[in-house]
Each structure stands twice: as structure tokens, then as C-alpha cells.
Amino acid sequence: MKRLFLYMLTGMSLMGVTSCSDFLDTVPHDALSPSTTWKTEDDAQKFLVGCYDGWADPTQLVYLDCGSDIGYNNFEWEEWKTIGNGSMSAAASVYDMYKFDIIRRCNTFLENIENIEFEDDAKKNDMIAQVRTIRAYQYFDKNWWYGGIPIISNYETAEEAQVPRNTEEEVKKFVYDELDAAIPLLKDAPSSRGYIAKGTALAIKMRSALYYGDYDRAKATAQAIMDLGQYELDSNYSNLFTVAGQGSKEIIASVQRIENLKTFGVIGQMYNNADAGWSSIVPTQKLIDMYEMDNGLTKEEAGTYYDPVHPFAHRDPRMAMTVIFPGQDWNGRIFNTLDKQINGEDNKDFPGGADNASKTALTWYKYLGPKSQYSDMWNTNACPIIFRYAEVLLTYAEAENELNGPSAIVYDLLDQVRLRAGHKAVDRSKYGTQATLRELIRRERTIEFAGEGLRRADILRWKDESGKMIAEKVLNGKLTRIVGTVDYNGTDPYTRATITGTDEFIENRSFKVTNRYLPIPQKARDANPNLEQNDGY
């Protein structure tokens, strides 16, 4: 991995890094002339790894759930708070999601590699396919969030790059075509961790097809990933999100970070105040409410088995492996976000005590626990997951249910995901129709991938019986937190917290139909008058 990052640093310096003030970051500003650098296979390798830097943004991955009902971002200047509450504007949008610098690097690579002769054409084609896959992912990601973007190539001047947006359908077709062309040229398995091979490209193809409702394509692609025989569910769900678990066979692709060389500091922003963090990215009580009881019933169905005074008791085991909740054992102490004072001293983690204390009274456990895995939480080697095998299984299940449900394979795939985490198998009689199974699949996907950045896209693409986006229901209303106290004499971490039943207000949330797409940043429109703004901004 060190070799990969040394190449990355070299490749970035060769390709040149433009500032985000450059229009769409499309104009090449090579630090070295292509005539002197694009000569050998080793040159191509360095430029290739330069294309990898930032191809999937780890910051976006961990922040994205803040734009949904299951996550919250407390600081408006970080701009995910406004996405969550519906107040985003073109003047204050997440500009990094719209930057085209990686696409520009990919275009430069594809333009110049043709001039290099390789001893093995298969190696050259594999490198080309890797870059086309990176570029396709970039187009897919931007197209999904902004709804139609310019399909750009290398331009000599900024004026030549002032082109209008292509339609969402045109960009989708471009992504599909690029992936279909690249996949046959890729190696079956990557040469080392961090490189793209068939599995990653197929995962992009699968997710893009699912998001756009092309269920036949999504199902067939999920099957193709299964047929590779390279991936399997990790027997330890919690292990996936630790440094020790980065080599898990469940992980198809993750953002590569390495200690003391290229680190991921956002992890520090996720810890709560008493751990010297910012609580920038936290889960909500709405997520807790979605977890089934350990008997497979929802809390609404469970009767007295669900105790609102002790809401963390008897839940799906994934809850405690995803969220740090009041009363839980954490980092050598009892996690307490409910009491204003502890033993006569101010509680640093009390939501009203400091700006950087979690306002929801909850903190993510994924990527944070155990805290001892990081020598410096602001310079970690955490590698946020982009794709993992559980998504393949749940994508197949969702697509199959929409096409043919209910069917035995759907139940089997759901059971594989649930049972490996220690939860109960699906009650087939309870979920015996396509509609009820759809409801379960959606909840299962939310629970399985909570904190991994998939929820907002899901509530945008999922519709209710009337055809409205699920986001219109779950992102309109008050966001609140629980209040209560923690009993330090309690021996059961799931019942130490006593909830009084009074919800504390955090913020009002609003979602309009026009919030389906993010606003085109005003900065980009100032540079290119041909970019039309999305409706509602």
C-alpha cells in the first residue's frame, strides 16, 4: 500500500493539481510536458495512480447520512446540516461533490496513454479500463446528486469548456456504456488492495442500475459479482469497520488511507466531546427506532416487550455495533449523554453543554470503536467502505422482489445478512407479499448500511404507494433527542439509561420535491453561464 501512495503523490505532481477556482477543473495544467513524461509503462502507472486520488471521497461517504433522517450534522458551515434540514442553497452547497478535477485527470490519462507502447496489450487495456471506471463512477455520483451534468473532455481554454449540462438520461447512458466497455478489459482480481478490478466496476454498475430502477440490470450484475467467487460476508459484522478488518473478504472497495502518509482526519470530527472530538457526524433517534427487537418484531409490534423507558434493550444486535448509546460501555467508561452533571462535575458529553457534544445524544460506533485502534484520531488510517458484499446480496434481493417477489431467494439472501450479525431469520408468513417484503428490504438496507452513506439516495429513489419519495415523509418535521438519566450502578449496559419520555428539540427539517437534486454551486455557474440551475434554487 505504501508503494501505491508513493505513486499517487508522484502521479498527482505530474498531472498537476488545479485550484477549485479553475472552471470545472477541466483545463490541463501539467507540471511536466506530456512529450517528456508519457513515454514508458512506468510513466503510465504513476499517472494511473494519480487518477485514484479522491476517486471516491471518504468525507462524502461518512457525511452523506447527515442528509437523511438517520444522521445529523451540527455545524452549518460544514454544509451537510443544510442538506439534512432542506435549507441548502447554491451559495452554500457542497462544492467538492461537483468538482471535475478527477474527470479531468482521467481524460488526460486516456488521451496520452495511447502514445505508449506496452509489451502486453492486456496490461495497457486493464489500465485504460481502470481509469474509465473511475471516470464513470465520478459521472454517476454527480449525475445522481445534481441531475444532469456536462459530459466533458479535455479543452484547451476555459471558454471552450463552457458547455451546457447534458441531461440526466444522457449522462446515465454514458456511465452505463463506459462500464460495459471497461468491465471485460479488467482483471478478475486486483493486483493489490486499492486497485480497481472487475468486482469494483461491477459494483458501480450494480448500484447505478439499482438507483435508476433498472432492476434486471441490477440483478444480473449482482449475480455476476457473486459468480466471481471472491467475496463473502464477514462473520464479524463489527470487524468490518475497524483497522483490523480492512482486509475482510466482504469489502469490495474502500478508500485507501495509510498512517503517517495519507491519513483520514474526519474520524476525529466524529468522536464526542469527552473524547476530544467534534460530534460533527452523529446518528439520530429515528435510526434507533428502526431497529427490530431481537425477536424480529418492530418496536411498534412488540407490545410490552419494547420498553420506551429502556429503548436500547432487546434490539437487533447490529444496533450496538453501529451506535454508541447512553449507558453503553465505551472507552473505559460508561457513555453518558443524558445527565448534565456527573458526580457534581459538568458532563462534557451532555448535548447542551458544548457545541461539540452530540446534539442527538448518540454517536456512531462504526469506524470509531475501539478508540484504541488509532494513535491519533485526527490522522487515522481508517478506510471508509465504498462497496461491500452485503450490498450485493441486498441489491439482488430488492431487484428480485421488484421483478418477481416474493420468492425464496429473497428470503435466503435476507437471512444471510441478518443471521451473520446474530439476528433472527425472516418470518416468511409475516412478510409473505411483495409489498410487505419491500418494506422489510428497505428497513434491512437502512439498518445494515447505517452510517455508510447510502440512506439519502435510498429515500430519494424509494416511493410510497402514492408515488411520493420516501424523503417527503421522513425528512419533514421536528428532529428531537431523548432525555433521561444514566444509572452507574446498573450492570446491564442496555438498561442503564432511563428515558423520561420527553423529547428535546434539535431542529425543524423540511424536504421539498425540488430537494431531490442539490443546487448547482453558484461558483460553477459564475464560471460557466451555460449551466442552468436546478428548479427551486
Side-chain angles (χ1 to χ4, degrees), residues 181-468:
I183 288 168
L185 302 177
L186 288 166
K187 294 178 181 178
D188 287 344
S191 53
S192 62
R193 201 171 90 205
Y195 285 98
I196 287 171
K198 276 189 170 66
T200 299
L202 285 167
I204 299 170
K205 178 178 176 178
M206 176 191 72
R207 185 183 290 177
S208 60
L210 183 71
Y211 280 16
Y212 285 111
D214 295 325
Y215 295 118
D216 282 315
R217 180 179 172 93
K219 175 183 168 182
T221 309
Q223 183 63 60
I225 298 174
M226 296 180 203
D227 292 343
L228 288 174
Q230 297 177 21
Y231 310 105
E232 60 187 42
L233 292 178
D234 197 311
S235 60
N236 186 338
Y237 177 76
S238 189
N239 183 61
L240 283 164
F241 312 101
T242 66
V243 172
Q246 289 174 353
S248 171
K249 292 183 72 175
E250 182 169 342
I251 298 172
I252 299 173
S254 59
V255 179
Q256 298 303 296
R257 291 293 180 260
I258 189 166
E259 201 169 20
N260 300 320
L261 185 58
K262 190 173 181 65
T263 60
F264 187 49
V266 176
I267 292 296
Q269 295 167 219
M270 298 174 69
Y271 283 103
N272 209 343
N273 186 24
D275 290 315
W278 290 6
S279 294
S280 289
I281 308 163
V282 296
T284 69
Q285 189 64 29
K286 289 189 174 184
L287 171 62
I288 300 296
D289 291 343
M290 290 185 198
Y291 283 98
E292 293 178 353
M293 309 302 290
D294 56 17
N295 61 7
L297 298 177
T298 65
K299 73 181 187 67
E300 292 79 13
E301 298 166 338
T304 57
Y305 192 59
Y306 171 73
D307 181 3
V309 175
H310 300 114
F312 307 111
H314 309 303
R315 306 304 283 267
D316 179 334
R318 285 172 292 186
M319 182 195 72
M321 294 185 277
T322 301
V323 177
I324 308 172
F325 54 86
Q328 189 172 0
D329 294 316
W330 166 251
N331 197 33
R333 67 179 192 274
I334 294 175
F335 187 73
N336 185 354
T337 53
L338 301 181
D339 293 294
K340 189 173 183 179
Q341 289 193 324
I342 303 172
N343 296 326
E345 297 184 1
D346 289 342
N347 177 8
K348 290 183 178 181
D349 283 342
F350 182 68
D355 284 345
N356 60 325
S358 171
K359 301 309 173 192
T360 66
L362 303 166
T363 297
W364 291 110
Y365 188 87
K366 284 182 178 178
Y367 297 118
L368 271 61
K371 190 171 183 288
S372 59
Q373 68 186 311
Y374 304 123
S375 58
D376 179 357
M377 68 184 186
W378 298 100
N379 294 285
T380 77
N381 57 337
C383 298
I385 296 169
I386 310 165
F387 302 104
R388 58 186 176 92
Y389 191 57
E391 184 180 351
V392 177
L393 304 184
L394 292 183
T395 294
Y396 191 107
E398 182 176 346
E400 167 66 11
N401 188 58
E402 295 302 323
L403 293 168
N404 305 304
S407 61
I409 184 63
V410 176
Y411 296 119
D412 176 66
L413 294 173
L414 289 170
D415 284 348
Q416 287 185 47
V417 174
R418 290 161 66 94
L419 292 173
R420 74 81 176 263
H423 197 30
K424 289 185 69 68
V426 176
D427 184 337
R428 279 135 170 89
S429 60
K430 178 182 176 183
Y431 298 103
T433 67
Q434 184 187 55
T436 56
L437 197 50
R438 177 185 297 121
E439 178 186 352
L440 176 63
I441 290 168
R442 290 178 176 183
R443 184 169 66 247
E444 189 64 31
R445 186 175 167 92
T446 303
I447 294 306
E448 177 69 19
F449 303 117
E452 298 178 54
L454 300 187
R455 176 64 175 174
R456 184 173 176 94
D458 285 344
I459 60 176
L460 295 178
R461 67 185 180 85
W462 288 335
K463 306 296 190 296
D464 64 14
E465 297 82 359
S466 65
K468 290 184 177 180

Side-chain angles (χ1 to χ4, degrees), residues 17-25 95-96 99 101 523-524 527:
V17 182
T18 63
S19 73
C20 58
S21 62
D22 292 314
F23 171 69
L24 290 184
D25 298 300
Y95 181 72
D96 282 351
K99 286 173 65 177
D101 57 327
K523 188 173 186 177

Side-chain angles (χ1 to χ4, degrees), residues 40-158:
T40 68
E41 292 184 21
D42 192 55
D43 290 339
Q45 179 67 34
K46 292 171 183 175
F47 281 106
L48 168 67
V49 181
C51 291
Y52 272 90
D53 189 50
W55 79 272
D57 184 359
T59 300
Q60 179 182 330
L61 290 173
V62 296
Y63 268 99
L64 261 173
D65 276 353
C66 295
S68 78
D69 54 329
I70 67 170
Y72 173 71
N73 171 223
N74 188 48
F75 304 111
E76 191 161 330
W77 52 270
E78 290 185 309
E79 298 180 344
W80 290 91
K81 179 183 178 73
T82 61
I83 295 176
N85 65 28
S87 64
M88 63 276 204
S89 71
S93 61
V94 184
Y95 181 72
D96 282 351
M97 291 175 67
Y98 197 80
K99 286 173 65 177
F100 280 65
D101 57 327
I102 296 167
I103 290 175
R104 189 262 300 171
R105 286 183 232 152
C106 292
N107 288 340
T108 300
F109 179 93
L110 294 171
E111 180 180 288
N112 286 282
I113 193 174
E114 294 298 340
N115 300 323
I116 300 176
E117 289 190 12
F118 280 66
E119 291 184 8
D120 181 1
D121 284 341
K123 180 179 179 182
K124 180 176 182 178
N125 289 334
D126 175 67
M127 294 173 72
I128 290 171
Q130 289 180 60
V131 172
R132 292 180 74 174
T133 299
I134 291 171
R135 186 174 65 176
Y137 180 80
Q138 283 285 307
Y139 273 113
F140 160 58
D141 189 58
K142 291 170 176 51
N143 196 46
W144 177 259
W145 296 116
Y146 293 98
I149 59 172
I151 299 176
I152 60 174
S153 58
N154 280 333
Y155 294 96
E156 292 299 324
T157 67

